[in-house]
Every structure is written in C-alpha cells, then in structure tokens.
C-alpha cells in the first residue's frame, strides 16, 4: 500500500507542476509503515527432526552450525578456515557473503563494527570439522 501511495503522490505532484491540478491531495494522506513479518523459530524438536532428516546431506555441518549459533546466512557462508580456531573452539565473524546486482557473489565486511564478533563453537560439532579443516592446495 505504501508503494501505491508513493506512486500516486508522485504522479499527482507532476500534475500540479504541469498546472493540471490545483493541489496534490495525496500529500494529506498519512501512510503507516508496514509491520515487519514475524518469523517463528524452530522448536528444539523441529530442529532435531530437521538435522536428522539432513544427516546424509553434504551441508549437514552448515545446517547444524546455523541452528546452534544463530548466525545469518551471509555470515555462515562468509566464514573462511582462518576464521575458525579449532583449538579454542571459536569462530571470528568478520565478513559475509553477499550476492551482487549482476548475480555474482562477493565477500564484504560486516555491516557494522558491532556485527564483528567471536562466537563459541560447541565441542561436538566443531570436532566434525577437523577432518575437513586441512585446505587442499590450489
């Protein structure tokens, strides 16, 4: 609705500038900001069911990390091996992976300094990362 009001107001404003209308009546209309959609997080049982169903998926570790840390999709996909400290069991969040306007992907720093943080990795899941932690030579 806000978009429709904006287009109508702009069109009427143009008509006023062209002396086709005496005034823009859309200026007097107050629009409300749309309420943000609320999401319903998975329950513990739903999360377990999801992880059980995805156990054979090659991205299972990513799904588990997402559910356990609450990281945003771009933050998860922006992690590099050097961000993970498997000795201390921590991950440093410094960048995110974002889609570009041309459809490509790029790594960007986090949107704010407050978004840069270090998070703890739970012992069980980060043990699963160890066999894959050795980067393959380029």
């Amino acid at each position: 609705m806000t978009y429709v009001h904006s287009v109508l107001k702009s069109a009427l404003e143009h008509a006023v500038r062209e002396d086709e209308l005496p005034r823009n009546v859309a200026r007097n209309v107050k629009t409300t900001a749309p309420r943000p959609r609320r999401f319903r997080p998975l329950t513990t049982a739903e999360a377990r069911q999801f992880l059980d169903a995805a156990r054979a998926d090659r991205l299972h570790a990513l799904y588990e990390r997402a559910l356990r840390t609450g990281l945003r999709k771009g933050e998860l996909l922006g992690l590099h091996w050097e961000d993970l400290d498997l000795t201390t069991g921590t991950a440093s969040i410094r960048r995110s992976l974002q889609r570009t306007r041309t459809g490509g992907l790029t790594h960007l720093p986090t949107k704010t300094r407050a978004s840069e943080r270090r998070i703890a990795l739970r012992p069980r899941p980060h043990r699963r990362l160890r066999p894959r932690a050795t980067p393959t030579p380029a």
Side-chain angles (χ1 to χ4, degrees), residues 97-119:
L97 186 67
Q98 299 292 320
R99 189 165 302 282
T100 64
R101 290 183 183 171
T102 60
L105 297 171
T106 186
H107 282 95
L108 296 173
T110 57
K111 287 186 180 179
T112 65
R113 293 291 261 165
S115 295
E116 288 185 18
R117 60 203 183 278
R118 183 178 299 259
I119 61 166

Short mmCIF file of all heavy atoms in Angstrom, two decimals, residues 97-119:
data_model
loop_
_atom_site.label_atom_id
_atom_site.label_comp_id
_atom_site.label_asym_id
_atom_site.label_seq_id
_atom_site.Cartn_x
_atom_site.Cartn_y
_atom_site.Cartn_z
N LEU A 97 29.05 -13.21 2.96
CA LEU A 97 28.98 -13.45 1.52
C LEU A 97 27.68 -12.86 1.02
O LEU A 97 26.61 -13.17 1.54
CB LEU A 97 29.03 -14.96 1.24
CG LEU A 97 29.11 -15.35 -0.23
CD1 LEU A 97 30.45 -14.92 -0.83
CD2 LEU A 97 28.92 -16.85 -0.39
N GLN A 98 27.77 -11.97 0.04
CA GLN A 98 26.59 -11.27 -0.48
C GLN A 98 26.49 -11.46 -1.98
O GLN A 98 27.50 -11.53 -2.67
CB GLN A 98 26.68 -9.77 -0.17
CG GLN A 98 26.74 -9.43 1.30
CD GLN A 98 25.47 -9.75 2.02
OE1 GLN A 98 24.39 -9.52 1.50
NE2 GLN A 98 25.59 -10.30 3.23
N ARG A 99 25.26 -11.50 -2.47
CA ARG A 99 25.03 -11.58 -3.91
C ARG A 99 25.14 -10.16 -4.48
O ARG A 99 24.63 -9.21 -3.91
CB ARG A 99 23.64 -12.15 -4.18
CG ARG A 99 23.41 -12.46 -5.65
CD ARG A 99 22.20 -13.34 -5.87
NE ARG A 99 22.23 -14.61 -5.19
CZ ARG A 99 22.92 -15.68 -5.58
NH1 ARG A 99 23.67 -15.61 -6.67
NH2 ARG A 99 22.88 -16.80 -4.91
N THR A 100 25.80 -10.03 -5.63
CA THR A 100 25.93 -8.73 -6.29
C THR A 100 24.73 -8.50 -7.20
O THR A 100 23.96 -9.41 -7.46
CB THR A 100 27.23 -8.66 -7.12
OG1 THR A 100 27.14 -9.61 -8.18
CG2 THR A 100 28.46 -8.93 -6.28
N ARG A 101 24.61 -7.28 -7.69
CA ARG A 101 23.49 -6.96 -8.59
C ARG A 101 23.55 -7.73 -9.90
O ARG A 101 22.56 -7.96 -10.55
CB ARG A 101 23.47 -5.47 -8.89
CG ARG A 101 23.08 -4.67 -7.70
CD ARG A 101 23.00 -3.21 -8.00
NE ARG A 101 22.67 -2.51 -6.77
CZ ARG A 101 22.69 -1.23 -6.63
NH1 ARG A 101 23.02 -0.46 -7.64
NH2 ARG A 101 22.39 -0.68 -5.48
N THR A 102 24.76 -8.14 -10.28
CA THR A 102 24.91 -8.88 -11.53
C THR A 102 24.73 -10.38 -11.33
O THR A 102 24.89 -11.14 -12.28
CB THR A 102 26.29 -8.61 -12.15
OG1 THR A 102 27.30 -9.02 -11.21
CG2 THR A 102 26.47 -7.14 -12.49
N GLY A 103 24.43 -10.80 -10.10
CA GLY A 103 24.19 -12.21 -9.83
C GLY A 103 25.41 -12.95 -9.33
O GLY A 103 25.32 -14.14 -9.01
N GLY A 104 26.55 -12.28 -9.23
CA GLY A 104 27.75 -12.91 -8.69
C GLY A 104 27.75 -12.88 -7.17
O GLY A 104 26.78 -12.46 -6.54
N LEU A 105 28.83 -13.33 -6.59
CA LEU A 105 28.97 -13.34 -5.14
C LEU A 105 30.23 -12.56 -4.76
O LEU A 105 31.23 -12.59 -5.48
CB LEU A 105 29.08 -14.77 -4.62
CG LEU A 105 27.87 -15.66 -4.86
CD1 LEU A 105 28.18 -17.10 -4.49
CD2 LEU A 105 26.66 -15.16 -4.07
N THR A 106 30.17 -11.90 -3.61
CA THR A 106 31.33 -11.16 -3.13
C THR A 106 31.37 -11.22 -1.60
O THR A 106 30.33 -11.29 -0.95
CB THR A 106 31.30 -9.70 -3.61
OG1 THR A 106 32.52 -9.07 -3.22
CG2 THR A 106 30.13 -8.92 -3.04
N HIS A 107 32.57 -11.21 -1.06
CA HIS A 107 32.74 -11.13 0.40
C HIS A 107 32.81 -9.65 0.78
O HIS A 107 33.59 -8.90 0.19
CB HIS A 107 34.03 -11.83 0.84
CG HIS A 107 33.89 -13.31 0.86
ND1 HIS A 107 34.26 -14.11 -0.18
CD2 HIS A 107 33.41 -14.13 1.81
CE1 HIS A 107 34.02 -15.37 0.12
NE2 HIS A 107 33.49 -15.41 1.32
N LEU A 108 32.02 -9.26 1.74
CA LEU A 108 32.01 -7.88 2.24
C LEU A 108 32.22 -7.91 3.74
O LEU A 108 31.83 -8.86 4.41
CB LEU A 108 30.67 -7.22 1.94
CG LEU A 108 30.31 -7.04 0.46
CD1 LEU A 108 28.88 -6.53 0.33
CD2 LEU A 108 31.28 -6.07 -0.19
N PRO A 109 32.82 -6.84 4.29
CA PRO A 109 32.92 -6.77 5.75
C PRO A 109 31.52 -6.71 6.35
O PRO A 109 30.55 -6.37 5.67
CB PRO A 109 33.70 -5.48 6.01
CG PRO A 109 33.77 -4.75 4.73
CD PRO A 109 33.38 -5.68 3.63
N THR A 110 31.41 -7.05 7.62
CA THR A 110 30.10 -7.00 8.27
C THR A 110 29.55 -5.58 8.17
O THR A 110 30.31 -4.62 8.03
CB THR A 110 30.20 -7.41 9.76
OG1 THR A 110 31.14 -6.57 10.40
CG2 THR A 110 30.62 -8.87 9.90
N LYS A 111 28.23 -5.47 8.25
CA LYS A 111 27.59 -4.16 8.05
C LYS A 111 28.00 -3.14 9.10
O LYS A 111 28.14 -1.96 8.81
CB LYS A 111 26.08 -4.32 8.04
CG LYS A 111 25.57 -4.99 6.78
CD LYS A 111 24.08 -5.01 6.74
CE LYS A 111 23.59 -5.69 5.47
NZ LYS A 111 22.15 -5.75 5.40
N THR A 112 28.19 -3.59 10.34
CA THR A 112 28.60 -2.67 11.40
C THR A 112 29.74 -3.30 12.19
O THR A 112 29.94 -4.52 12.15
CB THR A 112 27.44 -2.38 12.39
OG1 THR A 112 27.10 -3.60 13.06
CG2 THR A 112 26.22 -1.83 11.67
N ARG A 113 30.49 -2.48 12.91
CA ARG A 113 31.57 -2.99 13.76
C ARG A 113 31.01 -3.90 14.85
O ARG A 113 31.64 -4.86 15.26
CB ARG A 113 32.34 -1.84 14.40
CG ARG A 113 33.13 -1.01 13.43
CD ARG A 113 34.29 -1.75 12.86
NE ARG A 113 35.52 -1.40 13.54
CZ ARG A 113 36.61 -2.10 13.43
NH1 ARG A 113 36.63 -3.19 12.71
NH2 ARG A 113 37.69 -1.74 14.04
N ALA A 114 29.78 -3.60 15.30
CA ALA A 114 29.17 -4.42 16.35
C ALA A 114 28.87 -5.83 15.84
O ALA A 114 28.77 -6.76 16.64
CB ALA A 114 27.88 -3.75 16.85
N SER A 115 28.73 -5.99 14.53
CA SER A 115 28.47 -7.31 13.97
C SER A 115 29.71 -8.20 13.97
O SER A 115 29.61 -9.41 13.89
CB SER A 115 27.96 -7.19 12.53
OG SER A 115 26.71 -6.54 12.51
N GLU A 116 30.90 -7.57 14.04
CA GLU A 116 32.13 -8.35 14.14
C GLU A 116 32.20 -8.91 15.55
O GLU A 116 32.11 -8.17 16.52
CB GLU A 116 33.35 -7.48 13.87
CG GLU A 116 33.50 -7.10 12.43
CD GLU A 116 34.79 -6.32 12.17
OE1 GLU A 116 35.72 -6.38 13.02
OE2 GLU A 116 34.84 -5.65 11.15
N ARG A 117 32.36 -10.22 15.64
CA ARG A 117 32.36 -10.84 16.95
C ARG A 117 33.03 -12.21 16.89
O ARG A 117 33.28 -12.74 15.83
CB ARG A 117 30.95 -10.96 17.50
CG ARG A 117 30.04 -11.81 16.63
CD ARG A 117 28.57 -11.46 16.89
NE ARG A 117 27.65 -12.28 16.14
CZ ARG A 117 27.31 -12.08 14.87
NH1 ARG A 117 27.84 -11.08 14.20
NH2 ARG A 117 26.44 -12.86 14.28
N ARG A 118 33.29 -12.74 18.05
CA ARG A 118 33.83 -14.08 18.18
C ARG A 118 32.76 -14.92 18.88
O ARG A 118 32.20 -14.49 19.88
CB ARG A 118 35.11 -14.07 19.01
CG ARG A 118 35.77 -15.41 19.14
CD ARG A 118 37.05 -15.27 19.92
NE ARG A 118 37.96 -14.39 19.23
CZ ARG A 118 39.00 -14.79 18.50
NH1 ARG A 118 39.26 -16.06 18.39
NH2 ARG A 118 39.77 -13.93 17.90
N ILE A 119 32.48 -16.07 18.32
CA ILE A 119 31.47 -16.93 18.92
C ILE A 119 32.10 -18.26 19.29
O ILE A 119 33.09 -18.69 18.69
CB ILE A 119 30.27 -17.17 17.97
CG1 ILE A 119 30.72 -17.87 16.68
CG2 ILE A 119 29.54 -15.88 17.67
CD1 ILE A 119 29.59 -18.42 15.87
#
